[in-house]
Amino acid sequence: MEPIAFLRSHPPFDVLDSAAVRRIEENLEIEFAPAGALVLRRGGARSEYLYVVRKGTVRLERDGQVVQVLEEGECFGFPSLIGATAPHVDAIASEESLLYRIPGPVFSWLMQAPAFAEYFLVDLSERLRRSASVQPLPVGAELGTPVSTLPTRPPLRIAPERTVGEAARRMRDSGTSSLIVDGEPPGILTDRDLRSRVLAEGRGPETRVAEVATRPMKTLEARATLLDALLFMLEHRVHHAPLVDGDTITGVITDTDLLRLQVKSPLHVFRHVDRLEVPADLPRFAVELKAMVETLSWGGLGAAQIGPVVSRVHDALASRLLRAAEAEAGPPPGPYAWIVFGSEGRMEQTLATDQDNALVFAGADGGGEAYFGALAERVVGWLEAASFPRCHGGFMATRWRKPLASWVATFRGWIETPEPRALLEALNFFDFRPVHGTLDLAPLHQLVLDAGREKVFLAHFARASLGLRPPLGAFRHIREDDGGVDLKKGGIVPIVSLARLYALEAGSASRPTLDRLEDAARAGTLSGEGAATLAEAFRFLLGLRLREQLRALRDGRRPSHRIPLESLSSLERSQLKDVFVAIRQIQEAAALRHSVERLA
């Protein structure tokens, strides 16, 4: 490949215009560096060139420690050029290498192009953010627009002492499905309330509105996006979202308003879940879920935004299956809670996910064991029929079900007498989230919060959390195995583990990884720069994985967490390497902070 063609196939040269390319072509120099050659010396003379690796590899070292290994298409020497300072690292040819050199004056001239300059001037998190923001959104990206774009009218209101008969007539005459009920605090009365709280309960039309309205009502900020409205309805399992601007109720949007936007919207799937025939309809649920994820992706949502939507739909499915199981087995002998953990607990599910669930019930050891054992077997089997494979590690309610007191003892044992094997099990359980049932799990939530104040536990927890590391070789190049890179094990899980560790230390009760990183940065357990880098790296890795999973589905293959390097563009390969290096560096900082032995 000709030198200019090679450069134009790698960032940031791919953004240059023809005049800039001609300027490089007229001044480009070529240097051969034998293995072991010192190209730049730390503290030595200022670099006179921007170097680009054409063939071979160049390692950057500081005090004999490898900082980074540069491969074909990657640049070095620019910090010295930009800052007019001595190099901060040694640049050494790891093998026989061919280098392209762009003289300093030409580099300075090229830096007048903002798109070229930003590549060298912004940090990794900002580069990833800007790279994501310039991707064109396909048709259907309306979920990112404000709810104010939906046609709404001022909400109809009714006094709390009026009757439901009058309310029903006003709703019929105005063609609306809800009324705002005045008072402090205000409430809402919907057509569903009339059916379930009036007709189904045998109440008459003279019933006062105040007796059946929902008060206080849940509201949504008027400046929220359609995605916010969607998540609001899924999370609270409601069909109406009153909009507020300060203390003023400005309107009400309904699930029907959102359903008009997309046939395969989450609300469409959500409604289907509510009407599922169990178990006959379970295979069809999997098909609709995959179609929904693809629709959201093509609608312009990132994988980190899709995760909460998918998780809420999964929550609804689990709740529907548990209600069906209760209908078959009879009422439970006491309160219980079905909990999820792992990616579903963090609300980060998309595709290719197995089950991570457990069951907590009230009562002494053994009380209700037979009932809840049968319930767990039935629901886990139904989830499998809905294309959620059983967990290979056995982290399911068929094995993990205990009375609340036993769960408290288990959590306390992990915290007070941590041992490596047990803590590997504990990691995912610290993401637990209840999705069905009435049992209060406050004691477990409190134990998780208390754990962050136990220094000995945190040190053991840190060691367990840092077990998986990015697939970087001896010279920090990306390693492939079985024809690809496992994005989950190599990058996503390490970021999840770091976020969990730093958030635990910060006393955060959050579950989603991005929320945990924000909480850790706010509390100072993780630097703002580190949190921003991990957050953008997390979004980047989730996006790559989802794109490959959707491609696999279209090709008739089973989606996985693995991606072949050859399927990535040169920019994406460079970004992936930068991400892995950044994760490794933050892992090493975490190990030092918590006195964990040096990582390999």
Side-chain angles (χ1 to χ4, degrees):
M1 183 184 296
E2 291 296 317
I4 292 302
F6 173 82
L7 289 176
R8 298 202 71 172
S9 67
H10 292 85
F13 303 98
D14 55 346
V15 301
L16 294 175
D17 60 22
S18 56
V21 171
R22 283 196 302 273
R23 184 76 174 265
I24 294 175
E25 191 170 21
E26 292 168 356
N27 294 276
L28 188 67
E29 301 177 13
I30 298 176
E31 176 182 337
F32 173 76
L38 182 64
V39 183
L40 293 176
R41 181 185 300 278
R42 181 186 181 194
R46 175 195 175 198
S47 177
E48 297 179 2
Y49 301 95
L50 171 69
Y51 291 86
V52 184
V53 180
R54 175 60 180 89
K55 289 184 180 179
T57 57
V58 173
R59 66 181 185 272
L60 306 182
E61 293 185 357
R62 184 181 294 115
D63 297 329
Q65 295 292 322
V66 176
V67 176
Q68 190 175 357
V69 174
L70 306 177
E71 300 171 317
E72 290 187 5
E74 296 187 286
C75 305
F76 66 98
F78 56 88
S80 180
L81 285 172
I82 294 171
T85 60
H88 299 297
V89 294
D90 295 322
I92 304 168
S94 300
E95 57 186 309
E96 291 186 352
S97 301
L98 191 65
L99 309 176
Y100 290 158
R101 303 193 312 196
I102 298 174
V106 177
F107 175 73
S108 298
W109 183 80
L110 294 172
M111 288 289 282
Q112 298 177 49
F116 182 86
E118 77 173 23
Y119 181 85
F120 298 102
L121 297 177
V122 302
D123 61 19
L124 174 60
S125 63
E126 185 65 19
R127 288 208 305 273
L128 291 173
R129 187 180 299 115
R130 294 187 184 186
S131 175
S133 68
V134 300
Q135 298 298 322
L137 293 181
V139 175
E142 57 273 337
L143 283 175
T145 59
V147 291
S148 57
T149 60
L150 290 177
T152 59
R153 57 184 176 180
L156 291 178
R157 314 183 77 100
I158 192 169
E161 64 271 12
R162 311 303 293 185
T163 67
V164 295
E166 180 181 347
R169 288 189 292 273
R170 292 187 61 184
M171 291 164 68
R172 178 199 62 193
D173 295 343
S174 62
T176 63
S177 57
S178 66
L179 293 171
I180 298 299
V181 181
D182 291 326
E184 283 299 329
I188 187 170
L189 181 73
T190 70
D191 54 356
R192 287 176 178 264
D193 294 331
L194 294 177
R195 291 197 301 271
S196 61
R197 298 179 182 177
V198 180
L199 293 178
E201 297 297 327
R203 295 173 181 258
E206 71 285 352
T207 303
R208 293 173 62 248
V209 166
E211 297 177 33
V212 293
T214 298
R215 181 185 288 156
M217 62 183 175
K218 300 182 185 301
T219 60
L220 184 69
E221 291 289 335
R223 62 177 178 272
T225 65
L226 298 183
L227 174 61
D228 294 328
L230 172 62
L231 287 172
F232 175 90
M233 293 181 186
L234 291 174
E235 178 179 0
H236 300 296
R237 302 192 184 185
V238 296
H239 303 269
H240 297 76
L243 305 178
V244 294
D245 184 359
D247 295 328
T248 304
I249 301 170
T250 60
V252 179
I253 61 171
T254 69
D255 56 355
T256 303
D257 295 326
L258 296 183
L259 277 168
R260 292 192 188 102
L261 298 176
Q262 293 178 319
V263 176
K264 289 296 183 184
S265 79
L267 288 170
H268 171 85
V269 181
F270 190 77
R271 285 186 172 184
H272 176 213
V273 168
D274 221 26
R275 301 165 185 167
L276 273 176
E277 289 293 331
V278 179
D281 289 343
L282 294 179
R284 187 156 59 92
F285 168 82
V287 174
E288 293 209 1
L289 184 68
K290 292 171 184 175
M292 181 197 81
V293 172
E294 188 156 24
T295 298
L296 291 175
S297 179
W298 279 103
L301 294 189
Q305 296 171 299
I306 293 173
V309 178
V310 174
S311 295
R312 290 302 182 190
V313 174
H314 287 179
D315 292 352
L317 175 66
S319 186
R320 173 70 185 92
L321 297 182
L322 285 157
R323 292 197 306 273
E326 290 174 14
E328 286 189 6
Y336 76 98
W338 184 272
I339 63 174
V340 293
F341 41 93
S343 60
E344 186 172 1
R346 299 187 303 272
M347 292 185 288
E348 293 164 359
Q349 285 190 318
T350 49
L351 299 169
T353 183
D354 57 6
Q355 297 186 45
D356 286 303
N357 49 55
L359 195 148
V360 189
F361 56 92
D365 287 348
E369 170 61 32
Y371 178 92
F372 290 117
L375 184 84
E377 289 287 352
R378 186 174 285 112
V379 173
V380 165
W382 284 342
L383 286 169
E384 188 175 19
S387 296
F388 294 96
R390 293 175 184 257
C391 175
H392 293 301
F395 291 100
M396 297 172 295
T398 47
R399 173 188 170 199
W400 288 89
R401 62 179 183 279
K402 304 177 185 182
L404 177 58
S406 296
W407 278 106
V408 168
T410 298
F411 271 63
R412 186 170 286 128
W414 286 332
I415 296 166
E416 294 178 355
T417 55
E419 61 175 34
R421 184 180 181 85
L423 279 180
L424 289 176
E425 292 182 339
L427 291 179
N428 276 342
F429 280 105
F430 274 64
D431 298 337
F432 85 89
R433 182 172 59 86
V435 299
H436 182 82
T438 59
L439 184 62
D440 184 4
L441 301 182
L444 293 182
H445 289 293
Q446 189 60 50
L447 279 171
V448 172
L449 290 177
D450 291 344
R453 294 190 287 270
E454 300 291 334
K455 297 300 183 185
V456 173
F457 170 76
L458 278 176
H460 285 279
F461 197 78
R463 184 176 293 108
S465 299
L466 300 174
L468 286 177
R469 297 187 287 280
L472 295 171
F475 296 110
R476 301 206 170 189
H477 63 276
I478 298 176
R479 293 196 311 263
E480 284 188 280
D481 60 88
D482 295 331
V485 176
D486 191 321
L487 296 177
K488 179 180 179 180
K489 290 183 178 179
I492 294 171
V493 171
I495 293 175
V496 164
S497 298
L498 285 165
R500 184 193 293 122
L501 172 65
Y502 282 114
L504 187 66
E505 189 178 4
S508 167
S510 297
R511 294 296 185 266
T513 297
L514 294 176
D515 291 351
R516 282 172 162 171
L517 290 171
E518 286 185 10
D519 291 348
R522 194 177 299 114
T525 57
L526 178 63
S527 70
E529 180 184 355
T533 296
L534 289 177
E536 291 308 318
F538 189 64
R539 293 186 180 98
F540 172 72
L541 293 171
L542 290 182
L544 286 185
R545 182 178 67 172
L546 180 59
R547 188 184 70 190
E548 183 63 22
Q549 289 178 344
L550 291 173
R551 181 181 295 149
L553 287 174
R554 289 192 293 271
D555 295 344
R557 296 180 285 114
R558 184 179 180 83
S560 73
H561 305 290
R562 192 175 298 278
I563 189 168
L565 282 180
E566 62 266 22
S567 70
L568 304 178
S569 68
S570 59
L571 174 60
E572 289 170 336
R573 285 195 298 273
S574 175
Q575 289 174 327
L576 183 60
K577 180 180 176 182
D578 287 345
V579 161
F580 285 162
V581 169
I583 294 171
R584 174 67 68 87
Q585 290 172 343
I586 297 175
Q587 284 182 322
E588 291 171 349
L592 183 63
R593 178 183 179 90
H594 294 285
S595 302
V596 176
E597 58 268 18
R598 183 172 177 80
L599 299 174

